[in-house]
Amino acid sequence: MVIEVGYVSRYAFFKLHHSGKECYTLAMMKLTWQPVTLQLKTVFRIAHGASSQRHNVLVQVEDGLGEAAAVSYHGETPERIMAWLESVQLDGDALHLAHLLAQIPAGSRAGRAAIDMALHDLWGKTLGQPLYRLLGLHPADAPPTSFTIAMDAPELMAERAAASGMPIIKIKVGGQQDEAMVRAIRNATSARLQVDANGGWTRDQAAAIIPRLAQFDLQIVEQPLPAGDIEGLRWLRAQQFGVPIFADEAIKTPADVLAHAGAVDGVVIKLAKSGGIRPALEMITLARALDMQVMIGCMVETSVAVTAAAHLAPLCDFADLDGPLLIANDPYTGLRYHNARLLLPDAPGLGVAATIANE
Ligand code: MG
C-alpha cells in the first residue's frame, strides 16, 4: 500500500493505493473551533430569562468561518456543540458545496449551522465572490433591520428605544407590564413597533392583551403562545386583531413551516435553528409557496453568524439582524449598518474579517 500526502489549494488530500490500483481518494478538510464569550451591552431579559453574557463557538473549516450559538432553550451548550464537532469529517472540494453539506452529521443544530456557514464562506472565497452574488441576490433588496429592546422598566425601555434612533423597534414582552412597556415606547418614538412574547402568554392572555397592544399600531406580534401550540395560533389568528402573527421558536425545519401554514401570517427563520444557510433557503422557498411572510432573524451572535444570515435578507420581508449591535466585544466585522439599513460586505464569501483587536 502506498499513501501519498499532499496539499492542493486549500485542502489536504490523501490518496491510498492498493497493489498499484487507486481504491479511493480522501480529502479531509481541516476543522477547528474555539468557544467565545460575548458580553452584552445591557442585560438581555426576555420571557425565557435574563443574561448578560452568551457563550458561542466559533468554527473554521479551512479558511471558511462559521458560528454556533449555544441557545439554552434549544438544549445547546458550548460543550455539547464542541463534542458534536468532534464527530464531523468533511471530505471533498470546496466547490462541491452540496456534496460537502450532505456530509454534515445529525446532531447539534447550532453546530450544523456553523459548519454550513463555514462551507458557504469557503465556497465564496474559492470563487472570489460574495455569497449574496452567488445566490443571485441584490443587497439593496434587503429589508431594514429591527432593533430589539429587552424587558426592563418601561421608562428605561422607552429611553433606549428613543436613543437608538432606529425606525423599527422589536419589544420583548410576555411579562407583567406589557401594556405599560409598549405605551412608554410608543410615546417616546414614532418607530414602527413589533412585539415578541417569546411564548410568554397563555391563549387567554394573548387574546386579551393583543387588542390592547394593537392600539399602539403594531407591525407584528411574534410567538404569542408557547412553541408548538399551532392550534392556539390558528385560533388566535382567526380572531383577526389586525396585527400579523409570526411564529419563531417552533420553526426549525421545512416540516415546521408546513405545519404552521394557515395558523400564522409569517415565520421567523434563523440559521441557528434551521441548521444553516441551505436549510434556511429551503424554508424560505417553502414559506413563499405557502403564501407566508418571512423574517430572517438571529440569536445573540457575532458578525460571523449575523452576516451569514444577512446574505439571505434580500429574500425576506423583515430582518431582525441586530446581534452585533447588542454585544460589546464582537471579534469580527462584516455586516454594517446605516441606521437600520443593512450594508452587506462585498468581500468574497461571508465577507467577515477579524477585528484588529482580535488579530
Ligand atoms: Mg423571536
Side-chain angles (χ1 to χ4, degrees):
M1 176 181 283
V2 178
I3 301 178
E4 293 176 11
V5 181
Y7 292 88
V8 169
S9 66
R10 289 189 166 86
Y11 60 89
F13 74 90
F14 303 86
K15 279 189 177 173
L16 279 75
H17 297 262
H18 182 69
S19 305
K21 186 180 167 192
E22 185 172 318
C23 48
Y24 59 91
T25 301
L26 285 176
M28 304 303 296
M29 303 181 108
K30 187 180 175 201
L31 172 60
T32 57
W33 58 85
Q34 70 176 99
V36 61
T37 297
L38 304 178
Q39 308 291 345
L40 290 142
K41 289 180 181 170
T42 57
V43 172
F44 199 76
R45 186 180 302 280
I46 64 172
H48 297 301
S51 58
S52 58
Q53 287 185 334
R54 291 296 171 90
H55 304 281
N56 293 357
V57 181
L58 292 166
V59 171
Q60 196 161 344
V61 179
E62 300 294 333
D63 289 343
L65 298 169
E67 178 178 359
V71 180
S72 56
Y73 70 86
H74 288 170
E76 301 267 27
T77 64
E79 292 71 29
R80 279 186 205 164
I81 291 166
M82 290 189 282
W84 176 83
L85 285 165
E86 296 278 0
S87 72
V88 179
Q89 287 195 318
L90 300 166
D91 161 20
D93 181 320
L95 292 179
H96 298 152
L97 179 62
H99 177 75
L100 291 166
L101 292 171
Q103 296 172 35
I104 304 176
S108 168
R109 283 192 171 274
R112 289 174 61 84
I115 299 285
D116 168 295
M117 279 174 224
L119 290 171
H120 279 86
D121 189 30
L122 186 60
W123 183 50
K125 284 173 171 163
T126 305
L127 290 167
Q129 295 290 338
L131 179 59
Y132 70 78
R133 191 169 294 151
L134 294 175
L135 298 174
L137 304 177
H138 195 311
D141 292 336
T145 184
S146 57
F147 181 72
T148 301
I149 303 291
M151 286 181 182
D152 210 324
E155 58 277 14
L156 288 176
M157 294 172 72
E159 265 174 41
R160 277 183 208 134
S164 75
M166 297 292 259
I168 308 170
I169 298 289
K170 181 184 282 194
I171 308 166
K172 293 295 191 180
V173 294
Q176 302 302 314
Q177 299 191 79
D178 294 337
E179 192 169 347
M181 295 188 308
V182 178
R183 182 190 304 278
I185 292 174
R186 176 76 294 160
N187 289 338
T189 171
S190 59
R192 279 170 283 169
L193 302 184
Q194 305 172 353
V195 297
D196 185 357
N198 290 109
W201 293 325
T202 64
R203 290 184 186 188
D204 288 344
Q205 285 171 333
I209 190 83
I210 291 173
R212 295 214 303 274
L213 299 183
Q215 66 178 305
F216 303 114
D217 192 18
L218 297 187
Q219 193 180 33
I220 284 172
V221 173
E222 192 176 312
Q223 199 66 52
L225 304 177
D229 185 6
I230 298 172
E231 288 318 305
L233 290 170
R234 198 183 304 280
W235 170 80
L236 212 50
R237 185 177 183 234
Q239 298 185 50
Q240 300 187 333
F241 297 118
V243 185
I245 295 174
F246 277 52
D248 177 359
E249 276 86 339
I251 306 296
K252 298 179 184 177
T253 66
D256 295 328
V257 174
L258 185 59
H260 282 74
V264 293
D265 298 282
V267 288
V268 183
I269 293 174
K270 298 175 179 170
L271 302 186
K273 291 188 301 172
S274 70
I277 292 165
R278 182 60 65 100
L281 283 167
E282 293 167 359
M283 292 166 72
I284 291 168
T285 304
L286 180 58
R288 289 275 175 243
L290 294 168
D291 205 20
M292 298 160 95
Q293 292 187 293
V294 178
M295 179 187 294
I296 184 85
C298 65
M299 302 297 177
V300 176
E301 292 164 322
T302 77
S303 284
V304 172
V306 180
T307 304
H311 281 276
L312 303 185
L315 291 169
C316 303
D317 305 290
F318 300 94
D320 177 22
L321 297 176
D322 59 353
L325 300 175
L326 304 178
I327 59 176
N329 61 333
D330 192 343
Y332 287 91
T333 54
L335 175 65
R336 290 181 302 115
Y337 303 86
H338 183 262
N339 294 324
R341 214 175 118 220
L342 302 175
L343 304 175
L344 282 166
D346 278 333
L350 300 181
V352 295
T355 56
I356 291 166
N358 192 48
E359 282 170 347

